């Protein structure tokens, strides 16, 4: 859950591959208690959003034609009475 791990992955990927056909960002981390990443970012936000943002931005150069489809689901909990 560190931004450095994202940077390391991108560096390794770009060293081995010349382009990226498709990028799908998917995460579903939710912790019952508050904890933070190595970068001092709240864990759920860091893993589910900040990590994806950094990964996508670092890989944009390797994507050919870019189609961005942003899906965001904030209703993780549905409460029934």
């Amino acid at each position: 859950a560190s931004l450095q791990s994202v940077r390391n992955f991108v560096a390794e990927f770009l060293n081995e591959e010349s382009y990226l056909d498709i990028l799908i960002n998917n995460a579903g981390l939710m912790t019952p208690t508050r904890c933070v990443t190595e970068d001092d970012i709240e864990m759920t936000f860091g893993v589910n959003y900040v990590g994806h943002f950094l990964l996508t931005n670092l890989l944009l150069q390797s994507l050919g034609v870019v189609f961005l489809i942003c899906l965001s689901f904030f209703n993780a909990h549905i409460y029934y009475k």
Side-chain angles (χ1 to χ4, degrees):
S2 74
L3 297 179
Q4 187 59 49
S5 68
V6 174
R7 289 184 182 94
N8 292 344
F9 167 77
V10 171
E12 185 177 329
F13 176 83
L14 294 176
N15 188 41
E16 296 177 10
E17 304 294 335
S18 58
Y19 65 92
L20 179 65
D21 291 320
I22 187 169
L23 175 64
I24 298 173
N25 292 324
N26 181 38
L29 178 74
M30 187 174 75
T31 59
T33 59
R34 186 182 188 285
C35 46
V36 295
T37 67
E38 294 175 16
D39 305 292
D40 204 31
I41 301 170
E42 194 278 323
M43 183 71 74
T44 302
F45 181 68
V47 171
N48 294 342
Y49 297 97
V50 177
H52 288 166
F53 180 81
L54 178 61
L55 177 67
T56 301
N57 278 286
L58 294 175
L59 289 174
L60 277 178
Q61 66 187 17
S62 63
L63 284 168
V65 177
V66 178
F67 293 96
L68 295 177
I69 300 173
C70 299
L71 299 176
S72 183
F73 299 98
F74 285 96
N75 293 329
H77 300 284
I78 297 175
Y79 296 97
Y80 295 98
K81 290 185 178 186

